[in-house]
């Protein structure tokens, strides 16, 4: 659709032109799945100069209906590599590089990595990764196109630091639904409650016993509706025992029939004793193993056999009889017990976990949840769910087709070309010249009238957005997180190097955790712990904040905030070593803070630094500092050169 | 391949098409499995469409093109299917070979000997859809469209009409046209009501599920010839159609 023109033919393009050609541009694509494959195809056919692809996944059979760069023989291989191979076959002259890793945690994908590209495009399927890439692009001032699709709908939205809303400006609705504990444990009324219960049961029986999030599945006598129950005192002893403990005892002499009777008979009897719950509800009817095997019909709610026209077209879409589900339960429990035992053995000699993790693509896992959920549903008079539908609900599957992704990818590339058209041709300043004509584009088939493609004007950033309203550059410190202690961070980096006095240190990852509080006397133990023990990831930002007295007026206090970005590297072997990347940033922050104070003596107290005051901090100028530096890259010792030739610094 | 009287999808199909079945349903997937298409002309647009149809799992696609791959085609390389080792081969043959890898279940046929003029009513009988992409001779389009209309027979699938699709792109403009016959019956599903989440204390709140209502509708389509005779003056408020009108007028100017 777009005729490609080689640069040599465009003689009227001068150095000062606005507008980069695809041939001159490099783009980073995060995600090589549904949208990713279509996107790579379009970018390659548009002759982009250089493409990078990140994806952590491997190829599955269910991908093949739309991720067309993959074939059946590729199942199990990393998506990023196979995608690049396929693209190279289509366009042999393309420069495309795969990265098989997690964009969230892989130390390769630091700020320097992102800075290599002119443009970043998200082709992701989860909020967390999108938020992370959003943060990184804001920090690096890179234009970002966030693309996505669900079923027949999709979007390609634009994110530019300071000019548009970022991904977090508007709070997204929570992805996962939550259900009240007693609904799951005591009074389910819908199939989904039974399915959630079944997944919890799986975790109780075969999953991680140490996980505190492991919900219990036995009746909850703390149910507020159960207050004042006169039978409280007459409880059967073993209901005081948590599922986990009961299972511990049970798994010694393993008997699936006994597990069946405990879950679907004994526990239900107990539930019925909580009379208050059943005043307005239909009481659950327990089923005992021996009798359940004989129940041939599907459900008392009239879910009978299908007639020809409504006959399910897929085996898994059938609803089976109760006796079928009883058998399914017993069989899957046996299969999973075997697998669980084997897993424990494997774990002794490898780094693998001792427990099983539920996988929607695993047949035994799916049969277990289907059987358990349907048996429970039957007990409570709830409609049964076919295995096909259980997989959707339990596995949080998002339906997807090739065409929606193709449309989204096409629009994304059009967006990309529009963005390139606003970039200065030869510099690496990615401040866009004009964005008035750019829009967010949505593909929606839900609309009653009009076309399915909508063009919506860009919106101004949210002033109180945590991510993008606070745009100071972070100070990047590179350390070995498994060696560097909290104490070293506080004393050597924050107090000694950044010259802060006694700031609070808050972890800015959304959790709001306080790492170090200036007020409390930190306990020695904590300070001696290494950073990796605090769930800090590569790229985590720490907010160091304190109030200090104004030089001129003792009554005033000023607030100093420095963002510290932690970058992990294994190459540092010394417990005390750290590297400051882009050290000039510290000077700027202090300078800009000073500028805010009126009539301040400009006597530098930064006596240890050779800091040049920079007007344009977007130039990559590294300044040699007096602190000890271990260089992991050859480029870091460049002296001050106002070098704006446009060469890309490859800090690797 | 045509007499798919089996009314079930195999386990293998269910796995392969899983994600799309969850979107459009198993019934739609079964109908796709019975669909036979004629795709005239190999070019970037038709290849893209063909790719999507193969992935979707149609019964067969006949790729109709009697031209050969030139070095220009390879240099331009605007499609996914032609490489430098295939110069002088028939485009239809290369395309079938490349796209077959996308889905071995689809029956791809290369028609490289016939010309468009030779297409007659008898030939069209074997197809459910006739598609023509990036072909700019409107007389031919009209002729093919009318051929599809004339086909009144009932075949073993019980269908009466061959559907006609054509589309083209020119620069940043494009159009898509479909003729599904004088009287086209279809079902549409609409949701009413809203679903409330259960977050209450103590549970027991029934949630209102969104009701899905299926309605039967009829649409009347016009032929390409007739469509181009239309005098289209949009309502001033229909801002979204302005750009479409520009394209339409460009077409008519042809």
């Amino acid at each position: 659709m777009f005729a490609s023109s080689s640069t040599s033919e465009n003689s009227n393009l001068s150095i000062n032109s606005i507008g980069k050609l695809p041939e001159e541009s490099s783009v980073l694509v995060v995600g090589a799945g549904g949208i990713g494959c279509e996107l790579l195809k379009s970018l390659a056919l548009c002759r982009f100069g250089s493409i990078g692809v990140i994806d952590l996944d491997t190829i599955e059979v269910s991908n093949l209906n739309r991720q067309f760069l993959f074939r059946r023989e590729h199942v199990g291989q990393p998506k990023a590599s196979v995608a690049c191979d396929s693209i190279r076959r289509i366009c042999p002259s393309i420069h495309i590089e795969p990265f098989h890793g997690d964009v969230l945690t892989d130390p390769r994908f630091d700020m320097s990595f992102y800075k290599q590209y002119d443009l970043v495009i998200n082709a992701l399927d989860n909020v967390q990764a999108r938020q992370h890439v959003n943060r990184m692009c804001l920090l690096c001032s890179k234009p970002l196109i966030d693309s996505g699709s669900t079923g027949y709908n999709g979007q390609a939205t634009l994110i530019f630091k300071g000019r548009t809303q970022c991904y977090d400006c508007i709070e997204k609705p929570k992805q996962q639904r939550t259900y009240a504990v007693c609904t799951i444990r005591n009074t389910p009324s819908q199939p989904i409650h039974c399915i959630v219960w079944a997944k919890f049961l799986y975790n109780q029986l075969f999953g991680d016993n140490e996980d505190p999030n492991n919900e219990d599945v036995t009746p909850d006598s703390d149910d507020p509706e159960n207050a004042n129950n006169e039978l409280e005192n007459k409880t059967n002893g073993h209901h005081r025992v948590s599922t986990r403990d009961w299972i511990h005892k049970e798994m010694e002499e393993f008997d699936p029939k006994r597990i069946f009777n405990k879950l679907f008979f004994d526990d239900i009897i107990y539930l019925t004793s909580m009379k208050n719950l059943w005043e307005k509800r239909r009481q659950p009817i327990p089923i005992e193993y021996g009798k359940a095997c004989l129940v041939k019909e599907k459900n008392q709610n009239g879910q009978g056999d299908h007639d020809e026209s409504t006959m399910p077209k897929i085996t898994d879409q059938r609803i089976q009889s109760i006796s079928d589900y009883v058998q399914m339960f017993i069989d899957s429990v046996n299969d999973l017990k075997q697998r669980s035992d084997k897993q424990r053995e494997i774990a002794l000699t490898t780094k693998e976990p001792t427990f099983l993790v539920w996988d929607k693509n695993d047949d035994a896992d799916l049969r277990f949840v289907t059987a358990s959920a349907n048996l429970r549903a039957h007990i409570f008079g709830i409609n049964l769910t076919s295995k096909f539908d259980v997989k959707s609900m339990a596995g949080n599957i998002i339906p997807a087709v090739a065409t929606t992704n193709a449309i989204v990818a096409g629009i994304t590339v059009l967006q990309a070309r529009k963005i390139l058209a606003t970039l200065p041709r030869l510099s690496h300043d990615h401040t866009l010249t004009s964005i008035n004509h750019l829009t967010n584009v949505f593909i929606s088939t839900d609309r009653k009238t009009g076309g399915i493609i909508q063009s919506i004007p860009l919106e101004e950033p949210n002033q109180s957005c945590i991510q993008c309203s606070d745009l100071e550059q972070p100070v990047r410190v590179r350390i070995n997180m498994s060696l560097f202690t909290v104490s070293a961070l506080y004393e050597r980096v924050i107090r000694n190097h950044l010259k802060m006095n006694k700031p609070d240190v808050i972890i800015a990852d959304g959790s709001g955790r306080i790492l170090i509080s200036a007020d409390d006397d930190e306990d020695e133990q904590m300070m001696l712990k290494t950073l990796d023990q605090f769930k800090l990831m590569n790229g985590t930002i720490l907010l160091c904040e304190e109030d200090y007295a104004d030089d001129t007026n003792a009554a005033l206090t000023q607030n100093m905030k420095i963002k510290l970005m932690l970058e992990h590297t294994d190459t540092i072997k010394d417990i005390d070593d750290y590297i400051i990347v882009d050290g000039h940033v510290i000077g700027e922050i202090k300078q800009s803070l000073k500028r805010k104070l009126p009539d301040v003596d400009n006597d530098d107290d930064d006596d240890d630094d050779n800091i040049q005051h920079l007007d344009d901090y977007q130039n990559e100028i590294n300044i040699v500092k007096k602190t000890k530096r271990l260089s992991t890259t050859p480029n870091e010792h460049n002296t001050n050169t106002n070098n704006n030739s446009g060469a890309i610094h490859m800090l690797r | 391949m045509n007499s798919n009287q089996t009314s079930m999808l195999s386990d293998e199909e269910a796995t392969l098409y899983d994600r799309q079945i969850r979107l459009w349903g198993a019934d739609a997937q079964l109908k796709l499995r019975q669909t036979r298409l004629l795709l005239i002309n190999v070019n970037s647009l038709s290849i893209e469409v063909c790719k999507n149809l193969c992935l979707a799992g149609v019964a067969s696609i006949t790729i109709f093109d009697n031209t050969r791959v030139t070095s220009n085609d390879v240099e331009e390389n605007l499609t996914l299917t032609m490489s430098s080792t295939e110069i002088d081969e028939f485009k239809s043959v290369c395309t079938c070979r490349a796209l077959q890898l996308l889905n071995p279940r689809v029956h791809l046929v290369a028609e490289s000997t016939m010309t468009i003029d030779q297409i007659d009513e008898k030939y069209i009988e074997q197809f459910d859809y006739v598609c023509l992409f990036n072909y700019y001779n409107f007389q031919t389009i009209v002729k093919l469209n009318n051929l599809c209309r004339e086909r009144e027979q009932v075949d073993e699938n019980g269908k009466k009409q061959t559907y006609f699709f054509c589309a083209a792109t020119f620069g940043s403009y494009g159009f898509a046209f479909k003729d599904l016959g004088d009287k086209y019956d279809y079902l549409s599903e609409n949701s009413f009501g809203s679903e409330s989440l259960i977050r209450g204390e103590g549970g027991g709140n029934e949630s209102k599920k969104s009701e899905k209502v299926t309605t039967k509708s009829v649409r009347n389509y016009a032929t390409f010839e007739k469509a181009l005779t239309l005098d289209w003056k949009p309502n001033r408020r229909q801002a979204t159609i302005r750009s479409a009108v520009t394209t339409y007028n460009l077409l008519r100017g042809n």
Side-chain angles (χ1 to χ4, degrees):
Chain A
M1 195 157 142
F2 287 96
S4 60
S5 51
S6 66
T7 34
S8 56
E9 290 167 12
N10 285 313
S11 50
N12 47 350
L13 283 179
S14 71
I15 293 176
N16 294 321
S17 304
I18 300 295
K20 275 181 124 96
L21 293 169
E23 290 94 327
E24 301 167 330
S25 310
S26 58
V27 60
L28 176 64
V29 176
V30 189
I35 298 180
C37 285
E38 298 283 349
L39 200 50
L40 290 175
K41 165 203 79 182
S42 300
L43 291 170
L45 292 178
C46 273
R47 307 275 196 281
F48 265 75
S50 160
I51 306 175
V53 189
I54 303 177
D55 196 303
L56 57 82
D57 257 337
T58 53
I59 299 163
E60 293 173 15
V61 172
S62 62
N63 298 148
L64 301 177
N65 81 319
R66 64 204 183 281
Q67 297 172 26
F68 72 97
L69 297 176
F70 313 138
R71 308 262 174 274
R72 204 163 270 270
E73 60 260 26
H74 296 136
V75 171
Q77 293 180 37
K79 287 190 181 182
S81 333
V82 178
C84 290
D85 289 341
S86 300
I87 290 290
R88 276 189 218 108
R89 237 175 286 127
I90 297 172
C91 296
S93 57
I94 196 93
H95 179 258
I96 186 167
E97 199 177 352
F99 297 100
H100 177 46
D102 187 350
V103 71
L104 272 168
T105 56
D106 196 311
R108 286 179 292 177
F109 310 132
D110 57 7
M111 275 173 72
S112 314
F113 179 82
Y114 285 80
K115 287 188 179 180
Q116 297 170 65
Y117 299 96
D118 294 314
L119 177 61
V120 180
I121 304 180
N122 269 346
L124 292 162
D125 59 359
N126 69 92
V127 170
Q128 220 192 349
R130 284 191 159 106
Q131 285 175 325
H132 176 79
V133 177
N134 175 59
R135 258 198 297 276
M136 296 303 277
C137 290
L138 289 171
L139 288 171
C140 304
S141 308
K142 289 292 163 183
L144 170 64
I145 306 178
D146 185 75
S147 72
S149 71
T150 312
Y152 292 126
N153 303 325
Q155 104 275 350
T157 51
L158 310 183
I159 295 173
F160 312 128
K161 169 179 130 175
R163 317 276 294 274
T164 69
Q165 282 186 344
C166 80
Y167 187 74
D168 282 329
C169 276
I170 306 255
E171 205 181 312
K172 304 284 182 297
K174 278 241 170 347
Q175 302 261 290
Q176 296 275 58
R177 254 183 228 175
T178 51
Y179 298 98
V181 166
C182 26
T183 308
I184 303 298
R185 290 171 70 178
N186 292 357
T187 50
S189 57
Q190 288 180 33
I192 185 66
H193 304 150
C194 303
I195 293 171
V196 170
W197 180 88
K199 280 185 77 181
F200 287 153
L201 178 63
Y202 179 94
N203 284 335
Q204 289 280 316
L205 289 174
F206 311 111
D208 184 4
N209 282 327
E210 307 303 313
D211 185 357
N213 287 328
N214 237 349
E215 287 292 344
D216 209 338
V217 290
T218 49
D220 181 13
S221 48
D222 290 330
D223 190 332
E225 282 194 46
N226 188 36
N228 309 318
N229 190 338
E230 63 195 32
L231 286 172
E232 193 69 43
N233 300 326
K234 300 184 191 166
T235 39
N236 184 338
H238 91 277
H239 284 292
R240 292 291 179 196
V241 177
S242 77
T243 316
R244 193 169 305 150
D245 296 334
W246 183 87
I247 293 220
H248 246 71
K249 207 189 60 177
E250 186 53 31
M251 293 312 225
E252 309 291 292
E253 333 123 22
F254 182 71
D255 181 358
K257 289 181 196 156
R258 199 137 57 100
I259 299 178
F260 181 101
N261 281 327
K262 147 96 167 122
L263 296 167
F264 303 118
F265 192 79
D266 298 335
D267 282 356
I268 305 299
I269 299 273
Y270 180 73
L271 268 182
T272 57
S273 72
M274 293 158 72
K275 296 274 182 246
N276 294 352
L277 298 178
W278 314 114
E279 269 168 26
K280 297 206 180 100
R281 294 187 186 95
R282 174 216 190 264
Q283 208 167 264
I285 301 171
I287 41 177
E288 198 242 318
Y289 177 77
K291 303 226 181 75
C293 291
L294 305 171
V295 179
K296 292 296 177 203
E297 76 260 13
K298 316 246 166 147
N299 198 348
Q300 56 257 51
N301 278 11
Q303 264 178 306
D305 275 312
H306 302 271
D307 64 16
E308 191 59 48
S309 61
T310 54
M311 191 65 203
K313 308 296 188 289
I314 296 177
T315 327
D316 280 356
Q317 283 178 329
R318 284 175 310 144
I319 304 278
Q320 297 174 265
S321 70
I322 299 302
S323 56
D324 288 335
Y325 289 124
V326 171
Q327 198 54 49
M328 199 188 282
F329 179 82
I330 302 294
D331 290 342
S332 58
V333 165
N334 278 325
D335 290 344
L336 291 171
K337 176 71 166 69
Q338 262 186 12
R339 195 192 297 173
S340 173
D341 289 341
K342 202 184 287 182
Q343 185 67 27
R344 243 174 292 212
E345 270 184 44
I346 296 176
L348 291 174
T349 52
T350 63
K351 273 194 182 173
E352 288 207 28
T354 54
F355 49 87
L356 303 182
V357 178
W358 192 79
D359 175 13
K360 64 181 180 281
N361 291 321
D362 182 271
D363 194 56
D365 286 1
L366 190 54
R367 275 184 295 125
F368 176 83
V369 169
T370 306
S372 310
N374 278 328
L375 289 167
R376 186 165 173 86
H378 178 73
I379 287 169
F380 284 87
I382 300 171
N383 281 344
L384 303 184
T385 314
S386 69
K387 193 169 157 209
F388 185 80
D389 290 334
V390 168
K391 188 174 177 183
S392 266
M393 292 158 86
N396 294 314
I397 295 183
I398 299 179
V401 289
T403 36
T404 312
N405 290 334
I407 296 174
V408 170
I411 288 177
T412 302
V413 174
L414 288 177
Q415 297 276 53
R417 294 198 59 144
K418 286 186 185 174
I419 291 173
L420 290 181
T422 70
L423 289 178
R425 194 160 162 247
L426 285 183
S427 94
H428 284 280
D429 177 353
H430 288 107
T431 311
L432 304 169
T433 50
S434 158
I435 62 167
N436 294 333
H437 57 294
L438 300 176
T439 58
N440 286 330
V441 181
F442 296 89
I443 298 106
S444 170
T445 51
D446 291 337
R447 303 173 68 216
K448 303 271 187 294
T449 55
I452 61 172
I453 298 184
Q454 266 184 298
S455 199
I456 308 286
L458 300 173
E459 309 233 24
E460 294 274 318
N462 180 357
Q463 293 299 327
S464 35
C465 172
I466 318 168
Q467 293 305 332
C468 69
S469 59
D470 189 15
L471 290 171
E472 275 123 41
Q473 292 279 298
V475 176
R476 297 161 59 189
V477 61
R478 208 169 279 171
I479 55 215
N480 187 330
M481 285 193 179
S482 52
L483 295 178
F484 213 66
T485 60
V486 176
S487 165
L489 182 71
Y490 201 62
E491 296 301 324
R492 295 175 58 82
V493 178
I494 298 177
R495 299 192 68 207
N496 191 36
H497 195 116
L498 298 181
K499 298 267 183 275
M500 297 189 87
N501 189 24
K502 242 201 142 205
D504 291 329
V505 180
I506 303 159
I507 303 173
D509 64 352
S511 66
R513 287 179 292 152
I514 300 176
L515 186 63
I516 302 166
S517 170
D519 294 328
D520 306 332
D521 281 319
E522 292 307 332
D523 72 289
E524 295 266 333
Q525 286 281 343
M526 209 227 38
M527 295 297 274
L528 290 174
K529 284 199 172 154
T530 54
L531 292 178
D532 59 351
Q533 297 180 55
F534 291 91
K535 278 208 204 158
L536 301 174
M537 290 190 315
N538 182 53
T540 301
I541 293 185
L542 302 176
L543 200 58
C544 310
E545 196 173 347
E546 72 177 342
D547 294 325
Y548 61 94
D550 189 307
D551 283 0
T552 57
N553 187 344
L556 290 176
T557 51
Q558 296 292 332
N559 180 267
M560 165 115 94
K561 238 193 286 197
I562 295 187
K563 288 203 274 198
L564 197 62
M565 179 186 254
L566 300 175
E567 294 182 8
H568 170 78
T569 174
D570 285 323
T571 57
I572 291 181
K573 304 293 182 202
D574 192 316
I575 191 175
D576 280 333
D577 273 344
Y578 64 92
I579 303 170
I580 299 286
V581 185
D582 298 342
H584 60 281
V585 172
I586 305 174
E588 287 147 32
I589 292 173
K590 295 204 167 177
Q591 213 38 38
S592 76
L593 287 170
K594 285 229 167 108
R595 267 186 236 127
K596 288 182 190 161
L597 306 175
D599 302 325
V600 168
D601 234 282
N602 221 349
D603 258 336
D604 242 42
D605 58 340
D606 304 308
D607 49 284
D608 64 328
D609 305 318
N610 296 328
I611 298 171
Q612 191 134 340
H613 301 313
L614 304 163
D615 289 319
D616 180 358
Y617 66 75
Q618 290 196 4
N619 291 326
E620 290 274 28
I621 298 182
N622 289 313
I623 295 168
V624 178
K625 295 181 67 67
K626 283 183 187 164
T627 51
K628 183 173 91 169
R629 295 174 69 170
L630 273 176
S631 185
T632 51
T633 74
N635 283 340
E636 285 203 50
H637 283 300
N638 283 347
T639 45
N640 328 353
T641 33
N642 231 327
N643 193 352
N644 199 13
S645 66
I648 300 173
H649 290 290
M650 306 274 277
L651 284 179
R652 285 200 170 258
Chain B
M1 197 58 173
N2 285 344
S3 51
N4 269 318
Q5 293 307 319
T6 48
S7 51
M8 292 269 297
L9 287 165
S10 68
D11 283 345
E12 212 186 299
E13 286 171 305
T15 313
L16 179 62
Y17 300 130
D18 186 82
R19 297 297 188 270
Q20 65 201 42
I21 291 172
R22 288 176 197 276
L23 184 63
W24 56 47
D27 288 325
Q29 189 64 45
L30 267 174
K31 287 214 183 93
L32 277 169
R33 196 174 73 179
Q34 297 163 348
T35 303
R36 308 154 299 172
L37 297 111
L38 172 65
L39 199 82
I40 303 173
N41 249 20
V42 171
N43 50 62
S44 51
L45 183 54
S46 63
I47 297 299
E48 176 71 24
V49 172
C50 201
K51 154 180 105 26
N52 293 336
L53 290 170
C54 282
L55 292 173
V58 295
S60 71
I61 308 177
T62 299
I63 300 186
F64 191 106
D65 191 310
N66 63 358
T67 61
R68 294 178 188 271
V69 179
T70 64
S71 55
N72 219 29
D73 291 321
V74 176
E75 228 176 78
E76 288 264 298
N77 196 299
L78 291 174
T79 80
L80 309 171
T81 60
M82 297 182 273
S83 69
S84 49
T85 54
E86 289 160 319
I87 295 182
D88 274 346
E89 280 204 61
F90 281 116
K91 282 187 189 159
S92 51
V93 172
C94 301
T95 303
C96 283
R97 194 165 52 220
L99 294 182
Q100 188 69 80
L101 299 172
L102 290 178
N103 189 348
R105 311 185 80 92
V106 178
H107 185 52
L108 288 174
V109 176
E111 176 46 73
S112 47
T113 53
M114 285 176 70
T115 63
I116 294 185
D117 296 325
Q118 292 174 301
I119 297 178
D120 60 9
E121 214 179 286
K122 191 116 193 353
Y123 184 70
I124 288 195
E125 259 170 43
Q126 47 184 314
F127 304 109
D128 304 304
Y129 287 80
V130 171
C131 312
L132 181 55
F133 296 113
N134 279 357
Y135 196 85
Y136 304 97
N137 182 327
F138 283 7
Q139 279 169 328
T140 313
I141 296 181
V142 166
K143 178 192 159 203
L144 287 169
N145 189 182
N146 290 339
L147 267 178
C148 293
R149 277 285 179 132
E150 276 151 33
R151 207 186 136 245
E152 287 291 333
Q153 292 171 301
V154 182
D155 66 4
E156 71 261 28
N157 284 336
K159 293 223 190 78
K160 262 196 315 183
Q161 166 92 49
T162 303
Y163 302 124
F164 180 74
F165 274 74
C166 78
T169 56
F170 24 102
S172 326
Y173 289 89
F175 77 89
F177 171 83
K178 63 178 185 280
D179 179 11
L180 306 180
D182 268 336
K183 192 167 161 298
Y184 180 73
D185 298 313
Y186 65 100
L187 299 172
S188 61
E189 209 174 55
N190 296 302
S191 304
F192 293 97
S194 62
E195 210 176 322
S196 61
L197 300 174
I198 297 187
R199 277 185 209 233
E201 301 71 30
N205 302 323
E206 287 303 305
S207 86
K208 283 169 260 152
K209 276 261 161 87
S210 51
E211 254 189 65
K212 285 219 163 110
V213 177
T214 312
T215 36
K216 199 171 182 197
S217 318
V218 181
R219 266 218 191 155
N220 314 102
Y221 286 87
T223 61
F224 191 76
E225 199 172 16
K226 187 141 180 263
L228 278 187
T229 61
L230 184 70
D231 214 7
W232 197 0
K233 283 198 204 66
N235 189 318
R236 206 170 297 178
R237 269 175 275 145
Q238 289 171 310
T240 48
I241 303 184
R242 255 186 239 130
S243 54
V245 179
T246 314
T247 315
Y248 179 71
N249 289 329
L250 279 174
L251 281 182
R252 281 192 58 185
N254 187 341

